[in-house]
């Protein structure tokens, strides 16, 4: 009970209730299937729920309407006007009769090949969701679909818990900082959309935040460093994380690097470092190995199917041609679209975004000011050995490296695998592995520029901003899908 | 502290009243089925003497906008286009709208929306739009055409009274602004949800709003405590 109280204090409990209410609202407002790749993710869940075995992606993929999904899922998508909404931006208006048909029990063919473009993902997210699918097995597909969405909503609550506790470690004596960090994480519009959808990115965010919390504890708690169960827990987390999405590889590698580096700086013996490293890596490898073998057997890769093979000019060397490709024209526009628009609010298949550029320009302004603040803060610490606020400088430095490394990692992945599909494969939300560090850095950067007295005011201001941003984004969805614009 | 709380409550009340009194809602309905396609080609320059006609059957109960997919040959064309809309009543065509547009500011390869008077009880009714221009070759715009077999009953395109296979991509829109009415908003955003799911949605949204105020209250309360 004491542990639970310590882990979920009253403010966090209220935030969790708020996130639950928000998640259910978003899950029911977004029309089924309209989140990125949602039908494909749901079909993976359905395959596991029906066949009790992993689907295998074939080399050849047919057109989406024909063989991607089960007969039942295709019928369902047609009944809810999925393709019309996605392709023609029309509105979701159903008659009472059409709606009632969705809830009639119809025996439809649920089995199929399981072959679609997300089939190559590891199954870490899909297993628990397929259990929820089975709970509603005898219900119409629409209820199984919403059950899957609600599983995501439930999972996303852990993201909020971790973000709260990470923030508490970064500024231990602030009672408002953890609140605003968890609000900024849970209410971020794109996070809200993903965490209310059937999408493995939900659990990717949870495990990234969870592993970050593990790292933060390792770096700040002396008892934790010497506790073998704690270190083994980190290894188990890494193994499970890798079973969710290959992007977690960056988080795992970064944590391993920081752990070794930190122990080396703290003058630990080589034996201790090796021991800690092996306690981390052994459970991770053991947990991940069976998927690695499966993946290697079917896809000749340890990390699942890589959807596309790189092409593009190699006349001047791969790197030079890649750099010229992404920087030669619209370089700033590309950065703006990927890291501002797609990261913060370009919702669903339709990339529904705000008409006013001022919203995105404000975000750019905040990022810019925050970066300056971070530079000022680090310079102040270098010169005077202290800051104007009680920020844990080690964690701050680690987070800066974490975010920069993550951006670099995503570009490397694009360079290596997705050059062919430039403009589509590197999406802003892939940086959600760093969502908590990014929010923390944004807030701390601005904190460095203002007096201590106003830090709580700043937290309240950012809380209001993110609440308004979330509600406005919900309004965008209502406008785009239902034709209801509240002015 | 008590006075402060009362003031906050009064302010909140005033904000709520102002919000409900001044907020308006725009409802939009949009038809679909005759969209752009990869197999499109331009109709050719719409020069003086050319008459483009497209008959269509309305799939909306009401509409007040007609959007057509036009092109400008990637230039500014200083010419005019007359747009006429007819509605079929019994066997006759009744002109319901006529307006001349300066096309110099039109966007290339984009839908241009013609605002027309509200057409009520239009579902299943035949309409005909006619476009005439005063342009020459060098300042003419054009419309895209999707070459596809479609039943005449749904859409029929003709150029200078000669029927052409396919259609100019188009959609109808009905847009109207009303005062905020919660039950109307709830009804219009029901989508695919059953009554139960819709109720859950509304309850969770209300809880979301209430909890936002609770968390803001906690944050404001913490202002009195020193870090």
């Amino acid at each position: 009970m004491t542990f639970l109280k310590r882990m979920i204090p009253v403010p966090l409990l209220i935030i969790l209730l708020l996130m639950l209410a928000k998640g259910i609202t978003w899950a029911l407002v977004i029309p089924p299937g309209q989140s990125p790749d949602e039908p494909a993710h749901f079909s993976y869940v359905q395959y596991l729920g029906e066949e009790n075995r992993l689907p295998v992606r074939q080399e050849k993929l047919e057109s989406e309407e024909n063989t991607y999904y089960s007969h039942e899922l295709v019928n369902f998508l047609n009944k809810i006007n999925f393709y019309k909404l996605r392709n023609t931006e029309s509105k979701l208006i159903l008659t009472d009769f059409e709606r009632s048909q969705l809830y009639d029990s119809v025996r439809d063919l649920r089995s199929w090949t399981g072959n679609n473009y997300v089939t190559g993902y590891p199954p870490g997210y899909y297993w628990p969701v397929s259990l929820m699918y089975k709970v509603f097995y005898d219900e119409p597909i629409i209820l199984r679909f919403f059950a899957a969405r609600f599983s995501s909503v439930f999972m996303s609550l852990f993201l909020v818990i971790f973000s709260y506790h990470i923030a508490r470690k970064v500024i231990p004596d602030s009672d408002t900082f953890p609140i605003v960090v968890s609000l900024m994480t849970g209410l971020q519009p794109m996070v809200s959309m993903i965490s209310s959808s059937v999408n493995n990115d939900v659990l990717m965010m949870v495990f990234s935040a969870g592993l970050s919390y593990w790292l933060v504890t390792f770096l700040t708690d002396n008892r934790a460093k010497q506790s073998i169960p704690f270190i083994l827990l980190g290894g188990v987390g890494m193994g499970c994380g890798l079973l969710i999405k290959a992007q977690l590889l960056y988080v795992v590698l970064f944590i391993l690097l920081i752990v070794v580096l930190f122990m080396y700086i703290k003058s630990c013996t080589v034996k201790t470092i090796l021991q800690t490293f092996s306690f981390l890596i052994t459970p991770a490898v053991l947990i991940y190995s069976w998927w690695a073998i499966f993946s290697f057997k079917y896809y000749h890769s340890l990390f699942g199917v890589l959807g596309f093979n790189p092409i593009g000019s190699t006349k001047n060397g791969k790197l030079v041609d890649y750099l010229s490709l992404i920087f030669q024209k619209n370089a700033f526009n590309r950065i703006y679209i990927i890291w501002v628009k797609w990261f913060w609010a370009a919702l669903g298949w339709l990339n529904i975004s705000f008409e006013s550029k001022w919203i995105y320009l404000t975000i750019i302004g905040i990022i810019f000011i925050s970066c300056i603040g971070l530079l000022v803060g680090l310079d102040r610490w270098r010169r005077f050995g202290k800051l104007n606020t009680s920020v844990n400088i080690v964690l701050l430095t680690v987070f800066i490296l974490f975010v920069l490394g993550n951006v670099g990692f995503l570009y490397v992945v694009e360079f290596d695998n997705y050059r062919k599909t430039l403009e589509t494969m590197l999406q802003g939300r892939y940086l959600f592995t760093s969502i908590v560090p990014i929010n923390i850095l944004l807030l701390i950067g601005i904190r460095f520029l203002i007096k201590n007295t106003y830090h709580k005011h700043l937290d309240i201001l950012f809380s209001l901003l993110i609440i308004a941003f979330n509600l406005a984004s919900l309004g965008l969805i209502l406008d785009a899908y239902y034709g209801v614009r509240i002015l | 502290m008590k006075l402060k709380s009362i003031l906050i409550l009064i302010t909140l009340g005033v904000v709520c009243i102002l919000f409900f009194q001044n907020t308006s809602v725009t409802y939009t309905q949009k038809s679909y089925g005759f969209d752009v396609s990869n197999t499109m080609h331009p109709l050719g320059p719409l020069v003086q003497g050319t008459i483009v006609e497209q008959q269509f059957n309305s799939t909306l109960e009401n509409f007040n906008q007609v959007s057509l997919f036009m092109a400008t040959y990637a230039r500014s064309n200083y010419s005019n286009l007359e747009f006429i809309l007819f509605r079929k009543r019994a066997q006759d065509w009744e002109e319901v709208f006529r307006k001349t547009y300066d096309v110099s500011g039109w966007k290339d390869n984009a839908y241009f929306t013609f605002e027309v008077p509200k057409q009520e009880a239009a579902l299943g009714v035949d309409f005909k739009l006619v476009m005439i221009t005063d342009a020459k070759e060098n300042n003419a715009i054009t419309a895209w055409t999707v070459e596809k077999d479609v039943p005449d009953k749904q859409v029929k395109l003709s150029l200078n009274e000669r029927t052409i296979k396919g259609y100019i991509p188009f959609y109808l829109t009905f847009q109207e602004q009303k005062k905020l009415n919660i039950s109307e908003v709830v009804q219009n955003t029901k989508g695919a949800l059953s009554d139960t799911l819709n109720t859950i949605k509304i309850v969770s949204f209300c809880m979301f709003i209430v909890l936002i105020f609770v968390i803001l209250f906690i944050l404001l309360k913490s202002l009195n405590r020193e870090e």
Side-chain angles (χ1 to χ4, degrees):
Chain A
M1 197 62 193
T2 328
F3 173 76
L4 201 67
K5 265 188 178 171
R6 209 176 61 232
M7 283 310 284
I8 307 179
V10 176
L12 178 57
L13 182 67
I14 291 165
I15 294 170
L16 287 176
L17 290 174
L18 185 149
M19 295 305 167
L20 185 66
K22 181 263 318 180
I24 294 172
T25 308
W26 276 69
L28 293 173
V29 165
I30 305 163
Q34 293 300 329
S35 274
D37 301 330
E38 205 176 17
H41 289 293
F42 180 75
S43 78
Y44 197 140
V45 172
Q46 190 180 33
Y47 190 87
L48 284 178
E50 298 293 336
E51 307 287 330
N52 296 312
R53 62 192 164 96
L54 285 180
V56 177
R57 181 174 156 170
Q58 308 300 318
E59 197 123 312
K60 195 171 172 237
L61 291 174
E62 301 292 337
S63 71
E64 187 173 350
E65 286 87 343
N66 293 334
T67 57
Y68 268 20
Y69 313 129
S70 70
H71 197 258
E72 185 192 40
L73 183 54
V74 171
N75 276 347
F76 171 59
L77 293 174
N78 282 325
K79 280 182 189 170
I80 53 163
N81 293 346
F82 167 75
Y83 296 106
K84 283 170 192 160
L85 283 174
R86 195 185 68 175
N87 299 330
T88 69
E89 300 178 29
S90 60
K91 310 299 171 197
L92 179 55
I93 297 167
L94 299 179
T95 62
D96 286 342
F97 175 70
E98 287 169 330
R99 194 177 294 119
S100 70
Q101 274 193 319
L102 291 169
Y103 296 88
D104 287 343
S105 290
V106 182
R107 282 191 176 276
D108 214 339
L109 199 60
R110 297 184 184 186
S111 294
W112 86 112
T113 61
N115 181 27
N116 76 55
Y117 58 94
V118 307
T119 304
Y121 278 139
Y125 164 79
Y126 306 99
W127 272 331
V129 183
S130 71
L131 291 180
M132 194 68 164
Y133 177 96
K134 284 189 173 183
V135 171
F136 288 83
Y137 193 81
D138 294 324
E139 301 296 334
I141 185 169
I142 188 164
L143 294 182
R144 276 174 275 143
F145 185 87
F146 280 120
R149 272 194 177 176
F150 291 153
S151 315
S152 295
V153 172
F154 177 73
M155 288 172 186
S156 71
L157 298 182
F158 289 91
L159 170 67
V160 178
I161 296 176
F162 288 131
S163 63
Y164 186 91
H165 286 289
I166 292 171
R168 228 159 60 157
K169 296 256 181 200
V170 175
I171 307 185
D173 55 7
S174 170
D175 49 357
T176 53
F177 188 68
I179 296 178
V180 66
V181 169
S182 40
L183 284 179
M184 280 187 65
T185 305
L187 294 180
Q188 205 264 24
M190 281 303 284
V191 171
S192 296
M193 167 157 264
I194 296 299
S195 57
S196 303
S197 313
V198 188
N199 195 313
N200 58 350
D201 284 355
V202 184
L203 215 49
M204 179 196 82
M205 292 190 287
V206 173
F207 269 82
S208 302
L211 287 169
S212 304
Y213 179 56
W214 182 90
L215 179 65
V216 163
T217 311
F218 182 86
L219 296 177
T220 53
D221 189 337
N222 281 327
R223 272 184 311 165
K225 273 192 273 292
Q226 289 154 8
S227 158
I228 293 175
F230 175 78
I231 296 168
L232 286 172
L233 181 70
V236 170
M238 289 176 185
C240 293
L242 287 170
L243 277 182
I244 290 153
K245 208 168 180 183
Q247 265 138 304
L248 260 296
L249 181 66
Y250 167 73
V251 181
V252 170
L253 291 177
F254 182 85
I255 289 175
L256 288 174
L257 179 74
I258 293 295
V259 165
V260 171
L261 213 63
F262 182 75
M263 293 182 82
Y264 176 74
I265 292 168
K266 289 283 175 188
S267 306
C268 292
T269 59
V270 176
K271 189 185 165 193
T272 319
I273 296 175
L274 282 176
Q275 201 177 29
T276 308
F277 189 78
S278 62
F279 281 147
L280 272 175
I281 206 82
T282 311
V285 169
L286 281 177
I287 291 171
Y288 187 72
S289 57
W290 76 266
W291 167 255
I293 294 166
F294 181 92
S295 171
F296 195 78
K297 182 180 170 191
Y298 289 103
Y299 309 130
H300 310 295
S301 145
L302 295 176
F303 300 102
V305 168
L306 293 172
F308 302 92
N309 294 317
I311 57 155
S313 167
T314 49
K315 204 169 51 185
N316 305 307
K318 276 186 195 174
L319 186 60
V320 172
D321 282 333
Y322 170 69
L323 289 177
S324 65
L325 197 64
I326 62 169
F327 286 116
Q328 67 187 352
K329 57 174 185 179
N330 296 330
F332 283 110
N333 197 38
R334 183 170 199 261
I335 289 169
Y336 164 71
I337 287 176
I338 294 176
W339 304 121
V340 180
K341 231 175 163 178
W342 285 351
F343 183 85
W344 288 92
L347 309 159
W349 287 100
L350 300 175
N351 278 334
I352 304 158
S353 46
F354 290 94
E355 282 167 19
S356 166
K357 275 204 168 185
W358 283 106
I359 289 174
Y360 298 104
L361 287 175
T362 308
I363 294 171
I364 294 174
I366 291 170
I367 295 170
F368 183 70
I369 294 169
S370 186
C371 288
I372 291 179
L374 285 173
L375 291 174
V376 169
L378 290 177
D379 182 56
R380 192 180 295 149
W381 186 76
R382 187 181 59 85
R383 284 193 293 162
F384 308 116
K386 61 176 185 176
L387 299 161
N388 69 336
T389 177
S390 57
V391 174
N392 184 321
I393 192 73
V394 176
L395 297 185
L396 186 72
T397 316
V398 167
F399 282 155
I400 293 172
L401 293 174
F402 187 88
V403 174
L404 291 177
N406 204 348
V407 174
F409 175 79
L410 290 175
Y411 275 114
V412 169
V413 171
E414 184 186 54
F415 166 68
D416 206 36
N417 297 293
Y418 300 114
R419 262 178 296 152
K420 180 182 174 183
T421 47
L422 208 66
E423 308 297 349
T424 57
M425 286 315 294
L426 183 53
Q427 304 220 359
R429 68 189 160 87
Y430 296 167
L431 194 58
F432 281 169
T433 32
S434 291
I435 183 76
V436 182
I438 286 172
N439 286 332
I440 286 175
L441 293 177
L442 275 180
L443 288 164
I444 288 180
I446 298 177
R447 263 175 136 81
F448 282 158
L449 293 175
I450 59 174
K451 278 185 181 172
N452 264 355
T453 336
Y454 298 114
H455 284 180
K456 285 193 173 182
H457 296 85
L458 181 80
D459 291 342
I460 293 172
L461 175 71
F462 268 83
S463 302
L464 286 170
L465 279 177
I466 199 70
I467 288 166
F469 198 21
N470 189 285
L471 290 172
S473 302
L474 198 59
L476 267 190
I477 293 171
L478 290 183
D479 187 19
Y481 291 119
Y482 302 96
V484 176
R485 178 179 288 199
I486 302 169
L487 301 169
Chain B
M1 186 62 197
K2 259 187 178 175
L3 185 72
K4 236 183 179 179
S5 309
I6 292 168
L7 275 175
I8 290 173
L9 280 176
I10 291 172
T11 317
L12 273 177
V14 171
V15 169
C16 284
I17 291 167
L18 286 175
F19 177 78
F20 281 104
Q21 279 195 337
N22 295 305
T23 306
S24 60
V25 182
T26 309
Y27 296 97
T28 310
Q29 284 180 37
K30 194 177 153 195
S31 70
Y32 54 80
F34 300 100
D35 311 296
V36 292
S37 146
N38 293 334
T39 58
M40 290 192 303
H41 61 81
L43 201 56
L46 305 183
V47 294
Q48 196 167 23
T50 310
I51 302 170
V52 181
E53 273 185 31
Q54 181 155 290
Q55 272 186 46
F56 60 88
N57 188 265
S58 169
T59 51
L60 292 185
E61 180 63 26
N62 305 304
F63 70 89
N64 53 10
Q65 289 174 352
V66 181
S67 303
L68 291 168
F69 201 70
M70 309 296 285
T72 66
Y73 296 105
R75 64 189 181 205
S76 290
N77 298 290
Y78 295 94
S79 58
N80 298 301
L81 177 139
E82 190 173 21
F83 176 88
I84 313 157
L85 182 70
F86 295 93
R87 178 178 178 142
K88 201 165 198 177
R89 295 207 191 267
Q91 291 306 310
D92 301 321
W93 289 107
E94 179 200 350
E95 183 181 312
V96 289
F97 178 71
R98 179 188 288 260
K99 191 175 174 182
T100 304
Y101 295 83
D102 170 7
V103 300
S104 59
W106 285 20
K107 280 187 187 163
D108 196 19
N109 305 328
Y111 279 104
F112 182 81
T113 299
F114 300 91
E115 305 275 348
V116 300
K118 181 179 173 184
Q119 297 302 307
E120 286 176 341
L123 186 67
V125 175
D126 286 333
F127 287 84
K128 178 169 76 175
L129 59 89
V130 178
M131 289 189 287
I132 306 163
T133 79
D134 62 2
K136 295 194 172 78
E137 282 270 352
N138 60 356
N139 64 354
I141 58 163
T142 187
W144 284 95
T145 324
V146 174
E147 206 176 312
K148 199 169 160 186
D149 283 321
V150 275
D152 280 359
K153 175 95 187 80
Q154 288 176 3
V155 65
K156 186 177 157 190
L157 173 66
S158 60
L159 185 66
N160 297 329
E161 296 181 351
R162 189 172 53 86
T163 304
I164 298 176
K165 185 179 165 187
Y167 57 86
I168 301 171
F170 80 103
Y171 59 82
L172 307 173
T173 320
F174 179 53
Q175 238 179 24
E176 65 174 346
Q177 208 172 40
K178 287 183 180 174
K179 278 224 168 241
L180 176 64
N181 176 335
I182 299 290
S183 62
E184 206 169 0
V185 172
V186 168
Q187 197 51 40
N188 279 282
T189 54
K190 198 173 175 187
L193 302 182
S194 63
D195 289 339
T196 316
L197 285 175
N198 205 30
T199 311
I200 293 173
K201 182 182 80 181
I202 294 155
V203 171
S204 59
F205 179 71
C206 294
M207 271 192 56
F208 177 36
I209 299 296
V210 169
L211 288 163
I212 282 174
F213 283 112
V214 175
I215 204 75
L216 286 176
F217 178 73
I218 291 175
L219 282 169
L220 285 170
K221 231 174 112 185
S222 74
L223 271 180
N224 299 325
R225 288 197 297 269
E226 283 296 310
E227 271 194 14

